[in-house]
Amino acid sequence: MLRLNQVKPTVMEFTTFTKADDITDEDFISLVMKFESDYLKNQSGLIFHCLVRNLKGEYANLLFAEDMQSITNIENGFSSSDTAKEFMKSIKPQTVKIHYHNILKDNFKIPEIFSCFEHGTFSPKDNSDFFEANLLSVSEQIENTHLNTFENTLSHFIGKIDNETYSEITFGKTLGGTKEICYGYFNNESGMKMMSMCDPETMDLGFWYLIA
């Protein structure tokens, strides 16, 4: 895990992938840590990076940056870094999926310590001019009436991936606690209101835990 500063992030990159078959988990984790120390820590605009994993055995890079240009510059520099190229060779390219989240919460702060987070994406049922404002209002209600009533909850925000796709991110202290709280939306009025705003066929929910 790499934290370079306390600057407010405006964008989060979440890239999921499967490691190559010929590399062990132990060697892969060591390679990611070398990728952090040799390459990422020297990148302007980078705020935070960590490696996470889900219960399916898939890995993901979680990265926060000052702006989208910083992420673009980091990615463009891969070709000139031996460590970055070695990291790219260690994953199966056909499994890579990248999400760029524009953070729609002015006071969002990356938690100092967390062990897991929920990554959800969805499209609105009604993509009207008022959807985003309504979504952010309901999100604040969920924080006040549900998420922030639990000690396990550390941070939360709504993100925007593109004009048709939004995201909800929740950081927690434990994987089990975070899953239980997020599924508790079914018993919360504001949680049900948010779900009623989303197209159920587009909803994708996953839980990831910290590795390095």
Side-chain angles (χ1 to χ4, degrees):
M1 184 167 66
L2 178 69
R3 186 188 298 266
L4 295 179
N5 55 62
Q6 300 292 337
V7 174
K8 176 183 175 296
T10 66
V11 62
M12 182 186 95
E13 178 191 315
F14 183 63
T15 302
T16 63
F17 51 83
T18 302
K19 71 174 182 63
D21 294 332
D22 61 349
I23 184 170
T24 66
D25 289 300
E26 290 80 3
D27 288 343
F28 181 70
I29 292 169
S30 296
L31 179 58
V32 171
M33 295 176 70
K34 181 175 175 58
F35 174 54
E36 285 186 341
S37 61
D38 289 0
Y39 180 71
L40 288 179
K41 78 172 184 179
N42 301 313
Q43 302 307 302
S44 176
L46 177 65
I47 299 172
F48 177 91
H49 170 269
C50 69
L51 177 71
V52 295
R53 190 176 182 179
N54 64 16
L55 294 179
K56 299 177 183 178
E58 300 167 325
Y59 284 97
N61 276 328
L62 175 64
L63 185 152
F64 286 97
E66 294 179 23
D67 50 40
M68 190 61 212
Q69 186 60 54
S70 298
I71 291 181
T72 300
N73 293 341
I74 292 169
E75 293 174 345
N76 288 342
F78 280 12
S79 60
S80 60
S81 167
D82 291 339
T83 304
K85 287 188 284 187
E86 186 178 359
F87 167 71
M88 295 302 294
K89 289 179 181 178
S90 71
I91 65 178
K92 296 180 180 179
Q94 69 274 19
T95 66
V96 175
K97 297 179 181 178
I98 306 175
H99 291 103
Y100 301 110
H101 304 252
N102 290 304
I103 298 171
L104 302 181
K105 185 178 182 180
D106 290 336
N107 62 347
F108 170 72
K109 293 182 179 180
I110 306 166
E112 289 294 329
I113 300 174
F114 67 93
S115 68
C116 64
F117 75 100
E118 169 252 349
H119 178 270
T121 59
F122 55 89
S123 296
K125 279 184 180 178
D126 175 21
N127 199 3
S128 67
D129 293 339
F130 303 102
F131 175 80
E132 188 169 301
N134 291 339
L135 176 64
L136 295 177
S137 176
V138 172
S139 173
E140 185 175 358
Q141 294 171 28
I142 290 173
E143 290 181 356
N144 293 333
T145 65
H146 185 63
L147 292 176
N148 292 344
T149 65
F150 296 93
E151 184 182 354
N152 184 84
T153 303
L154 297 173
S155 194
H156 170 262
F157 73 86
I158 296 293
K160 188 172 185 178
I161 297 174
D162 56 44
N163 288 334
E164 297 181 352
T165 311
Y166 289 82
S167 62
E168 184 186 34
I169 309 297
T170 306
F171 290 87
K173 292 182 178 180
T174 70
L175 180 65
T178 303
K179 289 183 69 173
E180 185 176 68
I181 291 166
C182 289
Y183 284 119
Y185 278 27
F186 290 102
N187 299 315
N188 178 269
E189 182 179 352
S190 297
M192 290 299 294
K193 186 175 181 180
M194 175 180 283
M195 287 190 285
S196 72
M197 299 169 68
C198 307
D199 179 353
E201 294 185 0
T202 66
M203 295 176 68
D204 184 30
L205 182 64
F207 295 88
W208 300 78
Y209 57 93
L210 183 64
I211 292 293

